[in-house]
Amino acid sequence: MVVEKGVLVNSIFNFPQHMVFFTTPELLEIGRLPLVTPYDKPTRLEALRYYRRVVDTYDLSIAFHEEVTTIEREADFFIVTTRDPRGNTRVREARAVVLAIGYYDLPNYLGIPGEDLPHVTHEYREGHEAFQRTALVVGGGNSAVEAALDLYRAGAKVTVVHVGPTFDK
């Protein structure tokens, strides 16, 4: 049983629409099912298609739109409690639990004044809405650099702010 807090591979679904992974297809593959792409690195769209194929091929049981609220140990099993968007709770028993908590849809807040203003976002989708506007990207990792480049290519005036003497490798 896979419990997914949103849609299938919710974290990847929330990536920028035109994102290209920083890894090879082979490192994303599971269950000996090849991820086929004509490129060196797969795109977001190819990954979404691939993981739908994995679910269909292996007939995986998935509970969508359920957030895990608690996991408790009971003798030789775990009690996993979830909540859906309507507030309904569900309790399941499991012999083992694997936490795949994602990373893209868990923003790092800075705790500074103004980061909660309506024009500030902690998720990047694409640069089109910033055409002929100014944009500030905070961070020096792959995602920040990709966002800055996409914003620039979409016609925004971009400033990047990060700590450290260089960008991440």
Side-chain angles (χ1 to χ4, degrees):
M1 164 63 70
V2 175
V3 178
E4 177 62 76
K5 76 175 183 179
V7 298
L8 180 65
V9 291
N10 198 70
S11 189
I12 294 172
F13 176 74
N14 285 311
F15 282 177
Q17 290 182 332
H18 303 291
M19 181 182 163
V20 174
F21 283 84
F22 297 105
T23 189
T24 62
E26 296 80 18
L27 293 176
L28 294 174
E29 293 174 351
I30 57 177
R32 288 180 256 157
L33 197 63
L35 194 167
V36 180
T37 176
Y39 311 108
D40 291 336
K41 300 185 178 192
T43 65
R44 171 189 171 272
L45 180 59
E46 289 172 327
L48 293 175
R49 286 181 183 149
Y50 173 75
Y51 291 116
R52 289 193 303 263
R53 190 165 51 111
V54 168
V55 170
D56 287 343
T57 299
Y58 294 105
D59 195 26
L60 300 178
S61 177
I62 302 178
F64 294 108
H65 303 284
E66 287 189 37
E67 186 173 353
V68 174
T69 56
T70 62
I71 302 173
E72 298 174 359
R73 178 81 176 184
E74 292 281 337
D76 294 338
F77 60 94
F78 295 91
I79 304 291
V80 180
T81 305
T82 64
R83 181 179 54 238
D84 70 16
R86 294 181 178 162
N88 300 316
T89 60
R90 191 171 201 177
V91 178
R92 296 179 177 89
E93 293 182 4
R95 289 187 315 252
V97 175
V98 175
L99 298 175
I101 59 173
Y103 59 94
Y104 193 80
D105 55 352
L106 299 171
N108 294 319
Y109 293 97
L110 301 175
I112 59 173
E115 74 177 324
D116 59 346
L117 293 173
H119 63 282
V120 175
T121 182
H122 297 276
E123 294 176 356
Y124 184 73
R125 297 294 290 169
E126 63 177 271
H128 180 75
E129 66 183 330
F131 174 65
Q132 293 188 346
R133 298 178 73 193
T134 59
L136 174 70
V137 176
V138 179
N142 289 339
S143 296
V145 172
E146 287 288 331
L149 287 170
D150 190 45
L151 286 161
Y152 171 78
R153 290 176 182 138
K157 181 180 177 189
V158 183
T159 301
V160 178
V161 176
H162 66 95
V163 295
T166 62
F167 291 110
D168 291 352
K169 288 183 181 182

